[in-house]
Amino acid sequence: MRIALYQCPPLPLDPEANLERLRQRAAEAARRGARLLVTPEMFLSGYSIGLEAVSALAQPHDGDWAGRIAAIAREQGIALLYGYPERDAGGALFNSVQLIDAGGQRLGNYRKTHLFGELDRGMFSAGDDHFPLVALEGWKLGMLICYDVEFPENVRRLALAGADAVLVPTANMEPFDFVCDVLVRARAFENQCYLAYANYCGAEGEIRYCGLSSISAPDGSLAAVCGREETLAFADLQRDLLERSRASITYLDDRRSELYGPLA
Protein backbone atom coordinates (compact mmCIF):
# COMPACT_ATOMS: atom_id res chain seq x y z
CA MET A 1 0.00 0.00 0.00
CA ARG A 2 1.40 3.36 -0.98
CA ILE A 3 1.09 6.11 1.62
CA ALA A 4 1.87 9.81 1.45
CA LEU A 5 3.05 12.24 4.14
CA TYR A 6 2.29 15.94 3.88
CA GLN A 7 5.03 18.00 5.57
CA CYS A 8 3.98 21.64 5.59
CA PRO A 9 4.12 24.90 7.53
CA PRO A 10 1.11 25.37 9.80
CA LEU A 11 -1.71 27.72 8.86
CA PRO A 12 -2.96 28.59 12.34
CA LEU A 13 -6.57 29.62 12.96
CA ASP A 14 -7.65 29.00 9.36
CA PRO A 15 -9.55 25.71 9.06
CA GLU A 16 -10.99 26.68 5.67
CA ALA A 17 -7.55 27.17 4.15
CA ASN A 18 -6.38 23.90 5.69
CA LEU A 19 -9.36 22.02 4.31
CA GLU A 20 -8.51 23.37 0.88
CA ARG A 21 -4.86 22.37 1.30
CA LEU A 22 -6.04 18.91 2.30
CA ARG A 23 -8.22 18.63 -0.80
CA GLN A 24 -5.35 19.68 -3.08
CA ARG A 25 -2.79 17.35 -1.49
CA ALA A 26 -5.29 14.48 -1.44
CA ALA A 27 -5.85 14.93 -5.17
CA GLU A 28 -2.11 14.99 -5.85
CA ALA A 29 -1.39 12.01 -3.62
CA ALA A 30 -4.17 9.99 -5.23
CA ARG A 31 -2.90 10.80 -8.73
CA ARG A 32 0.48 9.43 -7.67
CA GLY A 33 -1.00 6.17 -6.45
CA ALA A 34 -1.26 6.76 -2.69
CA ARG A 35 -4.06 5.05 -0.79
CA LEU A 36 -3.54 7.02 2.43
CA LEU A 37 -2.45 10.60 3.20
CA VAL A 38 -1.10 11.49 6.67
CA THR A 39 -1.01 15.13 7.83
CA PRO A 40 0.67 16.77 10.88
CA GLU A 41 -0.67 17.21 14.42
CA MET A 42 -3.59 19.66 14.76
CA PHE A 43 -3.48 20.18 10.99
CA LEU A 44 -6.91 21.78 10.67
CA SER A 45 -6.37 24.52 13.26
CA GLY A 46 -2.64 24.92 13.82
CA TYR A 47 -0.95 23.61 16.95
CA SER A 48 0.32 26.44 19.17
CA ILE A 49 -2.88 28.48 19.16
CA GLY A 50 -3.79 28.74 22.87
CA LEU A 51 -6.73 27.58 24.94
CA GLU A 52 -9.15 30.30 23.82
CA ALA A 53 -8.71 29.43 20.15
CA VAL A 54 -8.82 25.69 20.80
CA SER A 55 -12.06 26.11 22.71
CA ALA A 56 -13.58 28.26 19.97
CA LEU A 57 -12.59 25.91 17.12
CA ALA A 58 -12.93 22.43 18.63
CA GLN A 59 -15.49 20.06 17.12
CA PRO A 60 -16.78 16.58 17.93
CA HIS A 61 -15.26 13.66 16.03
CA ASP A 62 -18.44 13.38 13.95
CA GLY A 63 -18.87 17.13 13.40
CA ASP A 64 -18.81 19.34 10.32
CA TRP A 65 -15.08 18.88 9.67
CA ALA A 66 -15.42 15.11 9.70
CA GLY A 67 -18.23 15.31 7.16
CA ARG A 68 -16.30 17.62 4.86
CA ILE A 69 -13.16 15.51 5.04
CA ALA A 70 -15.21 12.39 4.34
CA ALA A 71 -16.45 14.13 1.20
CA ILE A 72 -12.84 14.91 0.15
CA ALA A 73 -11.85 11.28 0.76
CA ARG A 74 -14.73 10.02 -1.40
CA GLU A 75 -14.10 12.60 -4.11
CA GLN A 76 -10.39 11.80 -4.39
CA GLY A 77 -10.57 8.09 -3.58
CA ILE A 78 -7.97 8.18 -0.78
CA ALA A 79 -7.98 7.61 2.99
CA LEU A 80 -7.09 10.64 5.13
CA LEU A 81 -5.55 10.93 8.61
CA TYR A 82 -5.83 14.45 9.99
CA GLY A 83 -5.16 16.22 13.28
CA TYR A 84 -7.72 18.52 14.90
CA PRO A 85 -8.94 19.91 18.25
CA GLU A 86 -11.77 17.69 19.53
CA ARG A 87 -14.53 18.54 22.01
CA ASP A 88 -16.30 15.60 23.62
CA ALA A 89 -19.92 15.46 24.79
CA GLY A 90 -18.93 16.73 28.23
CA GLY A 91 -17.03 19.72 26.86
CA ALA A 92 -13.48 18.39 27.45
CA LEU A 93 -10.87 19.35 24.84
CA PHE A 94 -8.45 16.88 23.25
CA ASN A 95 -5.60 16.91 20.75
CA SER A 96 -6.93 14.28 18.37
CA VAL A 97 -6.43 12.56 15.04
CA GLN A 98 -9.04 10.78 12.96
CA LEU A 99 -8.73 8.29 10.09
CA ILE A 100 -11.38 8.33 7.36
CA ASP A 101 -11.25 5.79 4.54
CA ALA A 102 -11.63 6.35 0.80
CA GLY A 103 -15.35 5.62 1.06
CA GLY A 104 -15.83 8.36 3.65
CA GLN A 105 -16.22 6.03 6.64
CA ARG A 106 -14.69 7.05 9.99
CA LEU A 107 -12.38 4.18 10.95
CA GLY A 108 -10.85 5.43 14.18
CA ASN A 109 -10.31 8.44 16.42
CA TYR A 110 -7.36 8.77 18.81
CA ARG A 111 -6.73 11.35 21.55
CA LYS A 112 -3.17 12.26 22.54
CA THR A 113 -2.36 10.51 25.81
CA HIS A 114 1.02 12.03 26.74
CA LEU A 115 0.87 15.82 26.90
CA PHE A 116 4.02 17.84 26.15
CA GLY A 117 4.75 20.45 28.80
CA GLU A 118 2.62 23.49 29.52
CA LEU A 119 2.00 23.99 25.81
CA ASP A 120 -0.20 20.88 25.65
CA ARG A 121 -1.43 20.94 29.25
CA GLY A 122 -2.64 24.51 28.88
CA MET A 123 -4.94 23.51 26.01
CA PHE A 124 -5.94 19.85 26.32
CA SER A 125 -7.03 17.01 28.53
CA ALA A 126 -5.06 13.78 28.19
CA GLY A 127 -6.72 10.92 26.33
CA ASP A 128 -7.80 7.79 28.17
CA ASP A 129 -6.60 4.22 27.65
CA HIS A 130 -7.96 3.89 24.12
CA PHE A 131 -5.46 2.83 21.44
CA PRO A 132 -7.56 1.75 18.45
CA LEU A 133 -6.16 -0.61 15.85
CA VAL A 134 -7.94 -0.24 12.49
CA ALA A 135 -7.84 -2.17 9.23
CA LEU A 136 -7.19 -0.43 5.92
CA GLU A 137 -6.73 -2.39 2.70
CA GLY A 138 -5.39 -5.43 4.53
CA TRP A 139 -3.02 -3.49 6.83
CA LYS A 140 -3.50 -3.12 10.59
CA LEU A 141 -2.82 0.48 11.57
CA GLY A 142 -2.30 2.11 14.95
CA MET A 143 -2.26 5.85 15.72
CA LEU A 144 -0.23 8.02 18.07
CA ILE A 145 0.42 11.77 18.25
CA CYS A 146 3.86 13.43 18.51
CA TYR A 147 5.15 13.09 22.11
CA ASP A 148 3.32 9.75 22.45
CA VAL A 149 5.89 8.04 20.22
CA GLU A 150 8.71 9.05 22.56
CA PHE A 151 7.37 6.59 25.14
CA PRO A 152 8.39 3.10 23.96
CA GLU A 153 5.45 1.48 25.73
CA ASN A 154 2.99 3.15 23.36
CA VAL A 155 4.42 1.68 20.18
CA ARG A 156 5.07 -1.67 21.84
CA ARG A 157 1.46 -2.10 22.93
CA LEU A 158 0.30 -1.44 19.37
CA ALA A 159 2.88 -3.88 17.98
CA LEU A 160 1.79 -6.57 20.45
CA ALA A 161 -1.80 -5.98 19.37
CA GLY A 162 -0.76 -6.72 15.78
CA ALA A 163 -0.05 -3.33 14.21
CA ASP A 164 1.69 -3.50 10.83
CA ALA A 165 2.21 0.27 10.83
CA VAL A 166 1.89 3.12 13.32
CA LEU A 167 0.83 6.54 12.01
CA VAL A 168 2.15 9.54 13.95
CA PRO A 169 1.02 13.08 13.09
CA THR A 170 3.42 15.38 14.92
CA ALA A 171 4.45 18.97 15.63
CA ASN A 172 8.05 18.36 16.64
CA MET A 173 10.14 21.47 17.07
CA GLU A 174 13.75 22.57 17.32
CA PRO A 175 15.99 21.56 19.08
CA PHE A 176 14.53 18.03 19.13
CA ASP A 177 15.85 16.84 15.75
CA PHE A 178 17.15 13.68 17.46
CA VAL A 179 13.57 12.43 17.75
CA CYS A 180 13.08 12.75 14.00
CA ASP A 181 16.52 11.43 13.03
CA VAL A 182 16.94 8.51 15.43
CA LEU A 183 14.11 7.76 17.82
CA VAL A 184 11.25 7.17 15.38
CA ARG A 185 13.44 4.93 13.22
CA ALA A 186 14.41 2.90 16.32
CA ARG A 187 10.73 2.53 17.26
CA ALA A 188 10.00 0.92 13.89
CA PHE A 189 12.95 -1.47 14.18
CA GLU A 190 12.41 -2.54 17.80
CA ASN A 191 8.71 -3.18 17.19
CA GLN A 192 8.96 -4.68 13.71
CA CYS A 193 6.43 -2.39 12.09
CA TYR A 194 6.37 0.57 9.74
CA LEU A 195 6.22 3.99 11.36
CA ALA A 196 4.98 7.06 9.46
CA TYR A 197 5.91 10.37 11.13
CA ALA A 198 4.34 13.50 9.56
CA ASN A 199 5.75 16.76 10.93
CA TYR A 200 5.39 20.47 10.32
CA CYS A 201 8.14 22.62 8.88
CA GLY A 202 8.63 26.39 9.12
CA ALA A 203 7.49 28.46 12.08
CA GLU A 204 4.42 29.16 14.20
CA GLY A 205 4.95 32.17 16.42
CA GLU A 206 8.17 31.54 18.34
CA ILE A 207 8.19 27.82 17.52
CA ARG A 208 10.38 26.54 14.70
CA TYR A 209 9.47 23.07 13.48
CA CYS A 210 12.04 20.45 12.53
CA GLY A 211 10.53 19.01 9.38
CA LEU A 212 12.41 15.73 8.81
CA SER A 213 9.22 13.69 8.37
CA SER A 214 9.81 10.05 7.53
CA ILE A 215 8.45 6.59 6.90
CA SER A 216 10.65 4.04 8.67
CA ALA A 217 10.57 0.36 7.74
CA PRO A 218 10.75 -2.57 10.19
CA ASP A 219 14.23 -3.55 8.96
CA GLY A 220 15.64 -0.16 10.01
CA SER A 221 15.69 1.36 6.55
CA LEU A 222 14.05 4.66 5.61
CA ALA A 223 11.34 4.17 3.02
CA ALA A 224 10.93 7.96 2.78
CA VAL A 225 12.59 10.94 4.45
CA CYS A 226 11.99 14.68 4.10
CA GLY A 227 14.22 17.70 4.55
CA ARG A 228 13.15 21.02 6.07
CA GLU A 229 10.82 22.29 3.34
CA GLU A 230 7.19 21.71 2.42
CA THR A 231 7.00 18.26 0.84
CA LEU A 232 4.60 15.55 -0.20
CA ALA A 233 6.56 12.33 0.36
CA PHE A 234 5.64 8.77 -0.67
CA ALA A 235 6.55 5.24 0.30
CA ASP A 236 5.19 1.76 -0.36
CA LEU A 237 4.42 -0.46 2.62
CA GLN A 238 5.71 -3.85 1.49
CA ARG A 239 4.20 -6.99 2.99
CA ASP A 240 7.10 -9.21 1.95
CA LEU A 241 9.66 -6.89 3.59
CA LEU A 242 7.58 -6.84 6.79
CA GLU A 243 7.37 -10.63 6.91
CA ARG A 244 11.07 -11.17 6.14
CA SER A 245 12.10 -8.67 8.77
CA ARG A 246 9.87 -10.21 11.43
CA ALA A 247 11.24 -13.66 10.64
CA SER A 248 14.85 -12.54 11.14
CA ILE A 249 14.44 -9.95 13.94
CA THR A 250 12.41 -11.65 16.67
CA TYR A 251 12.15 -9.06 19.43
CA LEU A 252 8.43 -9.62 19.97
CA ASP A 253 8.85 -13.40 20.27
CA ASP A 254 11.95 -13.21 22.46
CA ARG A 255 10.72 -10.67 25.01
CA ARG A 256 10.20 -11.97 28.56
CA SER A 257 7.17 -10.12 29.84
CA GLU A 258 7.41 -11.80 33.26
CA LEU A 259 10.52 -9.69 33.93
CA TYR A 260 8.87 -6.36 33.19
CA GLY A 261 6.31 -6.15 36.00
CA PRO A 262 8.02 -3.18 37.72
CA LEU A 263 7.55 -1.11 34.56
CA ALA A 264 3.82 -1.01 35.25
Side-chain angles (χ1 to χ4, degrees), residues 57-79:
L57 291 172
Q59 293 192 4
H61 67 92
D62 57 354
D64 177 66
W65 286 340
R68 294 174 67 180
I69 290 171
I72 294 171
R74 288 192 299 269
E75 174 188 284
Q76 303 302 332
I78 187 172

Side-chain angles (χ1 to χ4, degrees), residues 1 6 11 63 69 76 98 101 107 120 132 165 201 210 214:
M1 179 174 68
Y6 182 33
L11 288 179
I69 290 171
Q76 303 302 332
Q98 183 155 229
D101 71 14
L107 297 184
D120 267 350
C201 58
C210 299
S214 64

